[in-house]
């Protein structure tokens, strides 16, 4: 029976993989055929919207409509039948637990970008000077390919209390210390969660910064060296300023991730021991406590925190593109 | 065809034009890099080694002791996990969920990106910024309304809620902002002359799209396919929420997440299960690394 289910599923997946491209291509060909039969002006005006239609439909259903609906929902009560104004928001800022989650997100927002960009830059600079560059890059980059759940298994294994099992505690006891409860000791446990995030994301920063580094003209650097500047000066006075736009883009992307962080916390501690973060609080309010109004308010708060960072991010992107 | 506006600065191409920079004192650099590589690899290696050790060994001695004789490796963890309820089914489910979701996103995004790049219409730039700006929306904010929508909306009596179809549609919607952004950048960097001469020759937009834009954009399309594949394969939240509690539909990520909460001290099985879920992404990533890197660096690098 199980095999039957599996093959049914595979069959329908195959059908989708073949049918969807055919349907979409057919749609475009149909659109073009129709447009050939109307005046050129009408065609030119209508064509972009017809090409955009499928994308806009999906975005409308899955992103735009829910955002508006959630904002509205955040002003309603638990059952959704009465307007309660800012009550849900007030609740959020008055609870000890949620305020701790806010504090933890602040930790993430400050330390994750700092460590990720710092390490990424360090590796990018160092690796540029050796021949086994691509091997090192692959190693640092690989965590990006695995799921957060798998990463949390890997790191729970590292953080395990029993020094006969946990790698880190084995090292600690090996040099004479006592085993550390990495994920329980507050507030340091937040930092050990952030380290998992660093392990996952540094490769991303490294790749972008490395590409940016290689884009700096060699002649410029050589000229500085000929003029007597040492490596540190070359780095601080020439490389760093030129790299700033790229660094800004990477940093803002990581900041957005830090605000939205969910998977690592959910799978490693589920927010216990004062490690909770906003996205996880929202999940808990929605699915564990059945409080959609409060969950909606939290989502809107999260959204509001991200928007300014995103605006900076997009502005930086466009600045860079204008320079290209 | 001028390469004046290569949208992506790829390390490989640039390296050919530069000579090696003088190294800053060889030994410290090598030491630092090897240390970093070790720190990065050790967590994963630890898990890999542990997955091949029997339970008794894992719980009494560190995985590093297994690296010296006497060797005590076993396949029993993998056999247990693979034979147990769901892993093989989950493996199939992961493919069944991921591949269509990838195909859908790439195609729909390609049409939209082409329109943004090569068609002129009022409000184009603003609309593009809005579409990309939707990257801001945290997934969680969309869950309740969409779930309610799918629950109430059942065309022709066909239930979408709780099925894999819902997951396909959701991943398409969530993946579009990034996909449109990536492809629009690449399409926009294609040389204008090619499209202009095609228009002079009387080619329609559809022809220009299928015969010119798409073939020239293979690197960007490849990057997007890899991104989307990895993201959907590794995703937990969307599958968890849209599939509901039907275990036969669960992909590897959900099964693994359930294992982490239920097994408590059974490290030997967790390690094997985690690695099974990692195999496919790692293979995909290692073999197609170049495109992955190109996709990330495109648009984020000045040069």
């Amino acid at each position: 029976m199980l095999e039957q289910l599996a093959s049914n599923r595979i069959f329908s997946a195959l059908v989708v993989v073949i049918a969807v491209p055919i349907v979409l291509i057919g749609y475009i060909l149909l659109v073009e055929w129709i447009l050939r039969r109307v005046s050129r002006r009408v065609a030119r005006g209508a064509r972009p919207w017809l090409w955009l239609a499928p994308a806009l439909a999906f975005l409308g259903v899955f992103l735009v409509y829910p955002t508006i609906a959630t904002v509205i929902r955040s002003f309603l009560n638990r059952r959704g039948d009465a307007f309660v104004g800012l009550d849900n928001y007030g609740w959020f800022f008055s609870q000890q637990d949620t305020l701790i989650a806010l504090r933890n997100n602040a930790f993430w927002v400050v330390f994750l970008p700092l460590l990720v960009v710092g390490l990424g830059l360090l590796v990018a600079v160092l690796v540029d000077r050796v021949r086994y560059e691509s091997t090192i890059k692959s190693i640092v980059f690989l965590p990006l390919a695995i799921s957060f759940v798998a990463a949390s298994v890997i790191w729970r294994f590292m953080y395990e209390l029993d020094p006969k099992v946990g790698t880190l505690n084995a090292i600690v006891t090996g040099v004479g210390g006592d085993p550390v409860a990495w994920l329980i000791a507050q507030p340091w446990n937040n930092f050990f969660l952030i380290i998992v995030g660093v392990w996952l994301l540094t490769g991303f920063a490294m790749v972008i910064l490395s590409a940016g580094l290689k884009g700096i003209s060699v002649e410029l650097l050589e000229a500085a060296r000929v003029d007597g500047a040492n490596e540190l000066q070359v780095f601080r006075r020439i490389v760093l300023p030129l790299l700033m736009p790229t660094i800004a883009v990477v940093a803002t992307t990581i900041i957005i991730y830090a605000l939205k962080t969910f998977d690592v916390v959910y799978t490693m501690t589920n927010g216990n021991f004062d490690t909770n973060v906003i996205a996880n609080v929202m999940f808990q309010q929605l699915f564990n406590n059945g409080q959609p109004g409060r969950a909606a308010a939290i989502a809107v708060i999260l959204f509001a925190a991200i928007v300014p960072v995103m605006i900076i991010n997009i502005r930086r992107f466009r600045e860079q593109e204008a320079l290209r | 065809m001028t390469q004046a506006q290569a949208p992506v600065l790829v390390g490989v191409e640039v390296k050919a034009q530069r000579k090696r920079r003088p190294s800053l004192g060889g030994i410290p650099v090598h030491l630092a890099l090897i240390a970093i590589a070790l720190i990065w690899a050790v967590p994963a290696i630890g898990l890999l080694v542990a997955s091949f050790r029997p339970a008794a060994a894992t719980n009494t001695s560190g995985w590093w002791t297994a690296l010296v004789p006497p060797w005590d490796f076993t396949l029993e963890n993998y056999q247990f996990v693979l034979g147990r309820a769901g892993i093989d089914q989950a493996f199939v489910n992961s493919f069944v969920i991921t591949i269509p979701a990838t195909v859908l996103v790439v195609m729909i995004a390609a049409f939209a990106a082409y329109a943004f790049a090569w068609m002129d219409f009022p409000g184009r730039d603003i609309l593009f910024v809005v579409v990309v700006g939707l990257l801001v929306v945290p997934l969680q904010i969309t869950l309740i309304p969409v779930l309610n929508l799918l629950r109430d909306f059942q065309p022709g009596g066909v239930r979408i809620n709780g099925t894999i179809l819902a997951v396909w549609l959701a991943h398409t919607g969530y993946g579009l902002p990034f996909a449109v952004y990536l492809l629009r950048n690449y399409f926009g960097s294609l040389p204008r002359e090619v499209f202009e001469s095609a228009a002079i020759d009387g080619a329609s937009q559809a022809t220009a799209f299928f015969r010119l834009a798409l073939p020239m954009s293979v690197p960007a399309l490849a990057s997007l396919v890899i991104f989307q594949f990895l993201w959907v394969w590794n995703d937990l939240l969307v599958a968890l929420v849209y599939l509901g509690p039907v275990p036969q539909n669960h992909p590897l990520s959900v099964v693994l997440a359930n294992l982490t909460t239920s097994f408590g001290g059974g490290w030997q099985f967790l390690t094997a299960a985690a690695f099974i879920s990692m195999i496919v992404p790692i293979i995909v990533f290692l073999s197609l690394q170049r495109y992955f890197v190109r996709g990330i660096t495109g648009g984020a690098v000045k040069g």
Side-chain angles (χ1 to χ4, degrees):
Chain A
M1 218 274 269
L2 214 58
E3 279 115 335
Q4 203 183 33
L5 271 178
S7 57
N8 267 346
R9 199 156 295 141
I10 298 180
F11 181 69
S12 39
L14 269 174
V15 164
V16 168
V17 168
I18 297 180
V20 162
I22 293 181
V23 165
L24 285 172
I25 295 177
Y27 166 75
I28 291 291
L29 292 176
L30 183 66
V31 161
E32 288 296 309
W33 183 85
I34 293 178
L35 288 177
R36 264 200 286 274
R37 276 155 184 65
V38 296
S39 79
R40 291 211 85 204
R41 255 187 51 206
V42 170
R44 201 127 34 98
R47 175 177 288 118
W49 298 105
L50 290 170
W51 280 61
L52 284 171
L56 293 180
F58 271 96
L59 290 173
V61 168
F62 284 98
L63 289 175
V64 177
Y65 155 71
T67 306
I68 301 176
T70 302
V71 171
I72 296 178
R73 188 70 183 79
S74 69
F75 296 118
L76 305 176
N77 68 354
R78 181 177 190 166
R79 272 219 305 265
D81 50 15
F83 182 75
V84 292
L86 294 175
D87 278 7
N88 290 323
Y89 293 89
W91 169 86
F92 180 80
F93 288 106
S94 64
Q95 297 293 308
Q96 175 79 330
D97 305 331
T98 53
L99 289 177
I100 288 185
L102 262 181
R103 175 204 73 173
N104 292 338
N105 271 104
F107 285 152
W108 278 82
V109 164
V110 167
F111 291 103
L112 189 67
L114 219 58
L115 289 170
V116 167
V117 173
L119 268 176
L121 197 55
L122 179 68
V123 177
V125 167
L126 290 181
V127 102
D128 193 41
R129 299 161 192 265
V130 297
R131 246 176 327 187
Y132 46 93
E133 171 176 1
S134 40
T135 315
I136 300 281
K137 274 176 151 176
S138 297
I139 294 179
V140 175
F141 198 45
L142 198 58
L144 211 59
I146 68 179
S147 69
F148 292 115
V149 184
S152 81
V153 173
I154 289 180
W155 278 89
R156 274 164 70 167
F157 199 52
M158 288 281 286
Y159 286 146
E160 171 70 35
L161 187 58
D162 185 349
K164 294 198 294 289
V165 179
T167 314
L168 285 181
N169 273 331
I171 299 178
V172 165
T173 51
V175 296
D178 288 325
V180 177
W182 307 95
L183 292 177
I184 302 185
Q186 301 152 27
W188 308 107
N189 47 7
N190 284 299
F191 296 106
F192 295 115
L193 287 178
I194 294 179
I195 286 182
V196 180
V198 173
W199 185 73
L200 283 167
L201 293 172
T202 299
F204 168 79
M206 174 199 69
V207 159
I208 298 187
L209 291 171
S210 177
L213 214 53
K214 293 187 194 298
I216 297 179
S217 108
V218 198
E219 292 83 35
L220 195 58
L221 300 172
E222 289 302 331
R225 290 197 186 102
V226 160
D227 282 348
N230 65 29
E231 286 304 320
L232 203 57
Q233 284 172 323
V234 169
F235 183 74
R236 265 184 46 214
R237 295 285 183 83
I238 303 183
V239 174
L240 214 50
L242 283 177
L243 219 46
M244 260 313 162
T246 312
I247 293 180
V249 164
V250 174
T252 48
T253 308
I254 303 287
I255 290 178
I256 293 178
Y257 178 83
L259 286 167
K260 290 208 271 183
T261 186
F262 170 77
D263 308 64
V264 172
V265 175
Y266 176 74
T267 49
M268 292 195 78
T269 57
N270 199 12
N272 293 325
F273 313 117
D274 276 353
T275 56
N276 219 354
V277 285
I278 299 181
N280 201 26
V281 173
M282 189 206 156
F283 188 85
Q284 289 164 342
Q285 283 301 315
L286 184 58
F287 291 107
N288 299 351
N289 299 7
Q291 290 274 7
R294 291 190 188 154
I298 298 175
V300 172
I301 292 173
L302 193 58
F303 186 57
I306 295 181
V307 166
V309 182
M310 191 63 182
I311 292 182
I312 301 178
N313 197 331
I314 294 188
R315 279 233 190 99
R316 289 294 185 161
F317 265 135
R318 299 176 90 195
E319 273 171 18
Q320 287 195 313
E321 289 198 9
L323 288 167
R324 272 208 262 131
Chain B
M1 167 170 126
T2 53
Q3 270 290 318
Q5 288 181 339
V8 159
L9 203 60
V10 180
V12 173
E13 292 159 358
V14 180
K15 230 188 267 185
Q17 307 158 23
R18 293 163 36 122
K19 36 185 182 22
R20 253 313 138 214
R21 285 203 262 169
S23 35
L24 167 70
I27 302 291
V29 171
H30 290 293
L31 276 182
L33 280 178
I34 300 205
I36 290 178
L38 272 180
I39 295 177
W40 241 262
V42 155
I45 294 179
L47 198 80
L48 183 64
V49 170
S51 70
F52 286 112
R53 303 178 75 213
T58 303
N59 290 326
T60 53
S61 61
W63 58 269
W64 48 94
T65 64
L67 293 175
V68 295
W71 284 307
D72 185 12
F73 292 130
T74 170
L75 283 177
E76 66 190 28
N77 298 331
Y78 284 96
Q79 284 166 338
F80 181 86
V81 167
L82 280 172
R84 202 177 178 271
I87 290 280
D88 47 348
Q89 174 76 313
F91 201 75
V92 170
N93 285 341
S94 283
F95 275 111
V96 164
I97 290 177
T98 307
I99 296 183
T102 305
V103 169
L104 263 171
V105 151
V106 172
M107 296 215 63
I108 295 184
F111 294 136
Y114 185 75
F116 276 124
W118 290 109
M119 296 182 196
D120 227 337
F121 55 98
R124 177 181 70 167
D125 289 340
I126 298 182
L127 189 60
F128 182 65
V129 171
V130 168
V131 167
V132 175
L134 284 173
L135 276 170
V136 170
V137 178
L139 264 188
Q140 292 90 339
I141 210 178
T142 67
L143 297 175
I144 328 159
V146 177
L147 279 178
N148 289 339
L149 189 69
L150 290 179
R151 189 192 55 205
D152 301 331
F153 175 72
Q154 306 197 351
V158 174
R159 197 176 53 95
I160 302 186
N161 222 3
T163 66
I164 296 188
L165 175 62
V167 184
W168 288 333
L169 297 177
H171 273 298
T172 305
Y174 295 139
L176 272 174
F178 180 74
V180 170
Y181 174 73
L182 193 71
L183 290 182
R184 148 71 175 84
N185 272 352
Y186 202 86
F187 284 155
S189 72
L190 297 174
R192 184 170 278 278
E193 306 84 53
V194 174
F195 292 105
E196 277 172 0
S197 52
I200 292 177
D201 287 345
S204 71
Q205 290 278 31
T207 317
F209 176 73
F210 288 112
R211 295 262 182 92
L212 292 173
L214 279 188
M216 285 201 278
S217 306
V218 167
L221 291 170
S223 298
L224 184 60
V225 164
I226 297 168
F227 267 116
Q228 186 71 2
F229 183 91
L230 287 181
W231 185 57
V232 177
W233 180 278
N234 288 332
D235 158 77
L236 173 64
L237 185 62
V238 175
L240 202 56
V241 168
Y242 282 90
L243 278 179
V246 182
Q248 294 106 303
N249 287 342
H250 285 170
L252 277 176
S253 53
V254 176
V255 170
L256 185 63
N258 288 340
L259 280 181
T260 60
T261 46
S262 67
F263 262 162
W267 276 119
Q268 63 278 19
F269 304 129
L270 265 182
T271 56
F275 251 87
I276 291 178
S277 80
M278 280 164 64
I279 281 292
V280 170
I282 289 182
I283 293 179
V284 166
F285 170 73
L286 285 178
S287 48
L288 299 169
Q289 226 180 126
R290 216 173 2 140
Y291 293 111
F292 196 60
V293 170
R294 278 194 190 178
I296 287 190
T297 54
V301 176
K302 189 185 79 153

